[in-house]
């Protein structure tokens, strides 16, 4: 279960990083964003490896089929070169629009999740002020907005994109038959080679359809990966905590050295309790309530 292992590893790593966030980083990441990252983005990002393996398998198959076909029928080089060129141009042109549609759907879904979270947190306020009908209307508006601006445009692009690989094979088979039928009649190309090339063109079109599906899946994974990279690289207080821990250990070691020679009682009980250079403020950007306070 490679996908499960990758998924759990990413979740554990992101959760550990979140626990080490600074105050500014925690304030900039809401509960909904972190929940979406842990439960959805991680699942989608864990599919990258399997998609890459699938893409490599199809590309190796294509290279072998095209190489063998060119060895048997070198005159078919132009059509075998034109098919991947058109497919690459189609992926390039339509991939950006599909990526934008996926991002729009994700943003709409995030807005709905935030609205649900806000309703749960502020339910007492909604109930006490009799705002249930209004909240229900707002929620329906959010759902309609998510459908109009997110889900429907994405599905339209998916439907339009799905038919292109299906049309590509019959189109090029027809072009090849129309341009090489005279050669078969003249005898410059054998009927066996001609039929084999037609079969290869159909197979190659199907393989390019698989390549297109995998590339579109990679486009879908773009936004989750960008989000995870951003969350993994937020500022943490690990270095500050490490420095404070080492300072405490050094101070404890010094105090132990002072009382090690004293007899009677537990060593830790002989170490005086004192607070040195204490500071406190309500928020990171607020004025400190007190600072540099020492108590012994």
């Amino acid at each position: 279960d490679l996908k499960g292992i990758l998924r759990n590893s990413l979740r554990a790593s992101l959760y550990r990083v979140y626990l080490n966030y600074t105050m500014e980083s925690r304030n900039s990441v809401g509960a909904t964003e972190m929940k979406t990252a842990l439960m959805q983005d991680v699942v989608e990002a864990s599919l990258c490896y399997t998609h890459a393996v699938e893409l490599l398998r199809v590309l190796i198959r294509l290279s072998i089929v095209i190489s063998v076909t060119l060895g048997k029928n070198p005159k078919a080089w132009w059509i075998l070169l034109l098919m991947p060129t058109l497919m690459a141009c189609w992926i390039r042109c339509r991939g950006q629009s599909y990526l934008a549609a996926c991002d729009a759907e994700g943003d709409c879904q995030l807005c709905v999740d935030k609205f649900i979270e806000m309703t749960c947190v502020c339910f007492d306020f909604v109930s006490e002020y009799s705002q249930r009908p209004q909240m229900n209307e707002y929620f329906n508006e959010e759902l309609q907005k998510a459908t109009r601006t997110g889900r429907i445009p994405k599905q339209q692009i998916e439907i339009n994109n799905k038919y292109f690989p299906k049309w590509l094979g019959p189109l090029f088979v027809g072009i090849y038959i129309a341009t090489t039928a005279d050669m078969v009649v003249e005898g410059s190309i054998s009927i066996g080679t001609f039929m084999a090339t037609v079969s290869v063109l159909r197979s190659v079109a199907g393989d390019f359809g698989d390549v297109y599906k995998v590339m579109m899946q990679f486009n879908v994974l773009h936004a989750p990966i960008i989000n995870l990279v951003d969350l993994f690289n937020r500022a943490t207080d690990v270095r500050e905590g490490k420095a404070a821990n080492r300072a405490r250990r050094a101070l404890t070691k010094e105090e132990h050295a002072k009382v090690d020679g004293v007899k009677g009682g537990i060593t830790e009980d002989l170490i005086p309790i004192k607070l040195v250079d204490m500071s406190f403020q309500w928020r990171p950007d607020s004025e400190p309530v007190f600072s540099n306070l020492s108590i012994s």
Side-chain angles (χ1 to χ4, degrees):
D1 187 14
L2 183 59
K3 291 187 291 185
I5 294 175
L6 293 175
R7 182 169 59 249
N8 291 338
S9 177
L10 285 173
R11 280 175 176 167
S13 299
L14 180 58
Y15 187 75
R16 183 169 59 251
V17 171
Y18 177 75
L19 294 179
N20 293 323
Y21 273 179
T22 60
M23 183 64 69
E24 293 83 357
S25 298
R26 283 195 295 271
N27 291 336
S28 63
V29 179
T32 303
E33 288 87 348
M34 184 54 60
K35 175 186 175 183
T36 302
L38 287 171
M39 304 308 298
Q40 297 181 14
D41 294 347
V42 166
V43 174
E44 296 178 358
S46 64
L47 300 175
C48 286
Y49 178 79
T50 56
H51 290 339
V53 172
E54 178 65 18
L55 180 62
L56 181 62
R57 182 191 68 81
V58 176
L59 291 178
I60 292 176
R61 171 182 164 81
L62 277 174
S63 62
I64 293 174
V65 171
I66 292 175
S67 300
V68 173
T69 304
L70 290 177
K72 297 294 183 180
N73 186 11
K75 295 181 180 180
W77 67 269
W78 62 274
I79 197 167
L80 291 175
L81 179 63
L82 187 59
M83 287 182 67
T85 303
L86 288 177
M87 180 61 72
C89 294
W90 178 262
I91 293 175
R92 176 67 177 175
C93 295
R94 300 293 292 179
Q96 295 298 325
S97 59
Y98 186 67
L99 177 60
C102 292
D103 292 342
E105 184 187 31
D107 293 339
C108 293
Q109 183 62 43
L110 185 61
C111 291
V112 173
D113 293 341
K114 287 183 177 180
F115 187 86
I116 295 173
E117 179 188 1
M118 183 268 293
T119 304
C120 295
V121 173
C122 304
F123 180 77
D124 292 338
F125 175 82
V126 173
S127 178
E128 292 295 334
Y129 287 88
S130 302
Q131 296 295 309
R132 295 176 184 178
Q134 290 82 352
M135 294 298 293
N136 188 39
E137 292 179 3
Y138 294 153
F139 183 67
N140 289 330
E141 290 177 1
E142 289 291 333
L143 292 179
Q144 294 297 327
K145 179 181 177 181
T147 302
R148 291 192 307 268
T149 62
R151 189 175 301 109
I152 292 179
K154 179 185 175 183
Q155 291 179 352
Q156 289 175 343
I157 295 176
E158 287 177 346
I159 292 174
N160 295 331
N161 290 352
K162 181 177 65 175
Y163 288 109
F164 181 76
K166 295 181 179 180
W167 293 338
L168 189 66
L171 175 64
F172 275 88
V173 169
I175 293 175
Y176 180 74
I177 292 174
T179 54
T180 59
D182 294 339
M183 298 181 184
V184 177
V185 175
E186 295 171 356
S188 57
I189 298 178
S190 65
I191 186 65
T193 302
F194 174 78
M195 296 302 296
T197 305
V198 170
S199 177
V200 167
L201 289 176
R202 292 173 179 171
S203 176
V204 168
D207 289 336
F208 277 125
D210 294 337
V211 172
Y212 171 76
K213 292 178 182 178
V214 176
M215 293 303 297
M216 289 299 101
Q217 289 171 345
F218 271 119
N219 283 336
V220 174
L221 298 178
H222 177 268
I225 291 176
I226 293 297
N227 187 37
L228 289 177
V229 170
D230 176 62
L231 294 176
F232 272 113
N233 288 276
R234 295 292 179 98
T236 61
D237 57 2
V238 175
R239 294 183 182 275
E240 291 79 2
K242 181 179 180 180
N245 183 51
R246 288 188 173 183
R248 287 195 296 266
R249 290 173 60 186
L251 182 61
T252 303
K253 185 177 181 180
E254 292 177 2
E255 296 298 331
H256 268 292
K258 294 178 182 179
V259 299
D260 278 345
V262 180
K263 296 183 179 179
I266 302 175
T267 303
E268 283 72 13
D269 293 340
L270 301 176
I271 298 177
I273 299 175
K274 57 183 178 179
L275 305 176
V276 181
D277 294 336
M278 284 185 58
S279 300
F280 176 79
Q281 57 190 128
W282 294 107
R283 295 190 307 271
D285 56 347
S286 63
E287 293 293 330
V289 179
F290 57 86
S291 61
N292 300 326
L293 178 64
S294 299
I295 302 176
S296 60

